Amino acid sequence: MFCRPISPVPHQELSIIKAYNKLWAPLHKQLFNQPMTAFRFLSKDRMLQQTTFGNGTVITANFGSIVRKVGEGETSLPAGSYQVKIGEGTEVFSLPDMGGT
């Protein structure tokens, strides 16, 4: 969720919002009416998380700063990225560069 005070949105923030929307809007359209059927932490530091939805979609998020191994095939998931499994397909998305410190 992106939250900020009510005022005109600076250009840099608008580009971040657009980047997130481009990445997540198609997925939200598929999942908005699906129940979350499971959630679990996959690492002791809780930075690797996995959510499963009623239609079988599985999203694994690496909120950490290091590459993590995920799943049976030990797929590498870069820091700050998401793995989305829908049916037989799997895609890995990285967050847009936020220009942070």
Side-chain angles (χ1 to χ4, degrees), residues 10-67:
H11 179 71
Q12 181 184 12
E13 289 182 19
L14 186 58
S15 65
I16 292 170
I17 293 168
K18 286 180 179 180
Y20 270 98
N21 190 55
K22 182 178 179 182
L23 175 67
W24 290 108
L27 191 58
H28 287 166
K29 287 178 183 177
Q30 292 182 19
L31 298 176
F32 83 95
N33 63 349
Q34 296 296 312
M36 181 173 31
T37 57
F39 174 84
R40 59 190 182 136
F41 294 105
L42 301 178
S43 62
K44 288 182 182 180
D45 65 2
R46 304 179 124 191
M47 299 304 280
L48 189 62
Q49 303 173 15
Q50 189 173 74
T51 306
T52 304
F53 294 89
N55 66 353
T57 298
V58 178
I59 300 175
T60 306
N62 181 0
F63 295 107
S65 59
I66 60 172
V67 174

